Amino acid sequence: MSKVNAYIDGAFFQDGVRGQGMSMRMDLKALVEELAGDGEVGEIHYFMNLSSGVQYPNRRKNDEKLMARYEDQGLTVHIGRTEQKAQVFVDRGVDTRLSAKMMADAYADKFDTALVISRRPDLEPAITAVREAGKTVNVSFFRFVVDPTNELEECCDNYAVLTNEQVIRHKIEGPQPNF
């Protein structure tokens, strides 16, 4: 049985989940276990940036609660920094932190398969490097109607569409979307 470590791009994942009207209050560990299939799940890493506490204090508190819930499920949460450009908040460092952690774990032989939950194109060099190190990289993410492409689909070993039904199956609480 292969050992699977998961690397979740929290910003993209949250946008995908919330943008489709689903709740982030889920058993994320169980979702990862489902996506890992027959593999034995080792470490699960969640990478994100917190909302600005100055402009959005309630959203910041909700982000912190969400991260605490995921830590209680056994995930390791990695926090990057948020940069403000005019009126837009930009996540910084998520791709770098995720890439560095996945590559370090690959070279430390901590997994056989990396499960990447993202569609961030900047992860392609890290995925390629991990594959060149002899590891398998599986990518999973939603397929959107407006923008169905995921550039990571071309550079990984296996790509699987993350479905709304999979997320809903692991929902703890929150609204039931109408599809």
Side-chain angles (χ1 to χ4, degrees):
M1 177 181 303
S2 70
K3 186 169 183 180
V4 179
N5 278 6
Y7 302 87
I8 304 167
D9 183 343
F12 275 66
F13 183 67
Q14 285 185 38
D15 286 347
V17 171
R18 289 180 174 151
Q20 297 178 86
M22 297 183 287
S23 173
M24 287 299 296
R25 297 234 16 194
M26 69 181 76
D27 185 342
L28 190 50
K29 182 177 181 183
L31 176 62
V32 167
E33 289 170 346
E34 178 180 333
L35 295 173
D38 293 335
E40 175 190 345
V41 176
E43 299 173 1
I44 304 173
H45 299 276
Y46 192 91
F47 299 83
M48 75 165 290
N49 297 335
L50 299 173
S51 300
S52 169
V54 174
Q55 287 84 357
Y56 304 105
N58 290 337
R59 186 171 177 181
R60 172 67 173 245
K61 288 177 191 172
N62 289 336
D63 285 350
E64 290 169 346
K65 288 178 188 175
L66 181 66
M67 295 307 95
R69 277 189 226 113
Y70 289 163
E71 287 174 340
D72 288 345
Q73 293 177 19
L75 282 70
T76 302
V77 175
H78 305 267
I79 304 293
R81 64 183 173 83
T82 303
E83 184 176 302
Q84 184 174 352
K85 298 271 190 183
Q87 300 302 318
V88 177
F89 294 94
V90 182
D91 67 337
R92 295 288 186 216
V94 169
D95 52 347
T96 305
R97 290 173 194 275
L98 191 156
S99 296
K101 180 62 178 159
M102 183 173 57
M103 290 175 62
D105 288 353
Y107 284 97
D109 204 27
K110 290 188 174 184
F111 62 82
D112 303 306
T113 301
L115 169 62
V116 177
I117 300 175
S118 183
R119 66 176 287 176
R120 190 182 300 254
D122 293 337
L123 297 177
E124 185 273 327
I127 289 171
T128 300
V130 168
R131 291 182 69 212
E132 288 172 355
K135 304 297 181 180
T136 300
V137 179
N138 297 339
V139 174
S140 186
F141 205 74
F142 301 102
R143 179 146 346 259
F144 298 124
V145 174
V146 176
D147 181 10
T149 62
N150 185 340
E151 293 178 34
L152 301 182
E153 191 171 345
E154 300 301 319
C155 68
C156 66
D157 292 290
N158 301 294
Y159 182 83
V161 175
L162 177 60
T163 68
N164 295 342
E165 292 76 17
Q166 288 172 305
V167 173
I168 292 168
R169 207 172 14 256
H170 300 290
K171 179 180 80 157
I172 294 172
E173 65 183 28
Q176 183 70 29
N178 295 317
F179 300 116

